């Protein structure tokens, strides 16, 4: 990567990009590089943009990785305001309308504190969906993925091909699963929601 003379001058340089595919938050990302910044990376919202501050010497690959990390961190901070059960039900209804043509109709959606080995569960006969309190504070697209996963179970029980085809309607499925795999790798939970062969997320 060529050295920009502004890096040597110690002044920040800027580049604006679109959000990563499946990303969250602002409509644009502005990366500001500075030779004064040695190791730290930080980010904040500025209007409809996300500003990410990085060291000037960081490679393009490192920049992309840190942009993703910081977007997730900001999204998690912003979603720490926990939705109540009523708001969670409304959110599930919106997701059903958006991705399942409103066909998945939960009778109840609520947070529970007794799901330590699952992210969520669904009882199709009752139309009930329960989400683990461990999801609280995670990025919205991750919570939405788990909600969509359980909504799909209202239409297709089990994890057969029809279920996975249905869940493909949610565009951030792979990114959300990657995020949860990272959480699991950090030792917080023992398995990924919806791995083939499991009954519940």
């Amino acid at each position: 990567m060529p050295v920009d003379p502004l890096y040597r001058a110690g002044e920040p340089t800027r580049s604006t990009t679109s959000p990563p595919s499946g990303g969250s938050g602002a409509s644009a990302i502005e990366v500001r590089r500075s030779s004064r910044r040695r190791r730290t990376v930080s980010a904040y919202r500025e209007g409809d943009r996300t500003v990410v501050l990085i060291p000037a010497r960081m490679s393009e690959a490192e920049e992309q990785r840190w942009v993703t990390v910081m977007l997730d961190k900001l999204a998690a901070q912003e979603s720490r305001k926990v939705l109540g059960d009523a708001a969670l039900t409304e959110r599930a209804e919106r997701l059903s309308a958006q991705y399942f043509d409103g066909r998945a109709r939960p009778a109840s959606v609520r947070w529970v504190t007794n799901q330590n080995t699952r992210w969520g569960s669904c009882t199709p006969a009752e139309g009930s969906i329960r989400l683990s309190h461990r999801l609280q504070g995670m990025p919205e697209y991750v919570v939405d993925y788990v909600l969509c996963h359980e909504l799909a179970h209202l239409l297709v029980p089990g994890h057969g091909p029809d279920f996975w085809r249905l869940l493909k309607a949610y565009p951030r499925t792979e990114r959300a699963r990657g995020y949860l795999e990272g959480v699991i790798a950090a030792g917080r939970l023992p398995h990924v929601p919806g791995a083939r062969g499991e009954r519940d997320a």
Side-chain angles (χ1 to χ4, degrees):
M1 178 179 181
V3 177
D4 189 310
L6 285 175
Y7 294 177
R8 289 196 298 269
E11 297 174 19
T13 60
R14 302 182 181 190
S15 65
T16 302
T17 62
S18 298
S21 176
S24 59
S27 61
I29 301 160
E30 181 179 313
V31 178
R32 296 180 186 172
R33 292 174 172 262
S34 174
S35 61
R36 293 180 190 148
R37 186 174 285 269
R38 298 297 178 191
R39 288 182 220 142
T40 60
V41 176
S42 61
Y44 59 91
R45 303 289 193 204
E46 189 176 82
D48 64 349
R49 294 178 302 164
T50 299
V51 178
V52 182
L53 309 173
I54 64 173
R57 294 185 181 188
M58 192 171 279
S59 70
E60 286 185 25
E62 289 174 316
E63 173 185 319
Q64 288 302 313
R65 182 173 69 85
W66 276 106
V67 164
T68 299
V69 166
M70 298 312 289
L71 282 176
D72 283 344
K73 186 175 179 181
L74 282 174
Q77 289 170 351
E78 291 165 356
S79 67
R80 287 196 197 286
K81 182 178 175 184
V82 177
L83 292 173
D85 290 348
L88 199 61
T89 300
E90 289 176 12
R91 189 163 169 177
E93 289 169 354
R94 284 197 304 271
L95 290 168
S96 176
Q98 186 172 0
Y99 299 113
F100 306 118
D101 299 320
R103 292 181 297 126
R105 297 187 181 110
S108 67
V109 185
R110 61 191 175 92
W111 296 108
V112 293
T113 58
N114 62 352
Q115 288 192 154
N116 295 319
T117 60
R118 295 180 294 183
W119 296 111
S121 63
C122 171
T123 306
E126 299 173 2
S128 63
I129 290 173
R130 295 162 300 281
L131 296 193
S132 171
H133 72 288
R134 292 171 182 260
L135 288 164
Q136 293 172 354
M138 290 190 187
E140 286 186 5
Y141 73 90
V142 176
V143 177
D144 286 352
Y145 161 69
V146 178
L147 277 172
C148 283
H149 183 104
E150 303 309 336
L151 286 166
H153 276 311
L154 292 177
L155 302 173
V156 180
H159 293 95
D162 290 344
F163 172 84
W164 293 105
R165 275 194 293 272
L166 189 63
L167 193 54
K168 277 185 183 177
Y170 182 64
R172 296 181 182 176
T173 289
E174 291 307 314
R175 185 162 188 233
R177 286 177 62 81
Y179 182 97
L180 292 172
E181 283 171 354
V183 172
I184 292 160
R188 288 179 56 184
L189 281 176
H191 63 81
V192 179
R196 285 171 171 79
E198 297 170 9
R199 279 196 62 82
D200 294 305

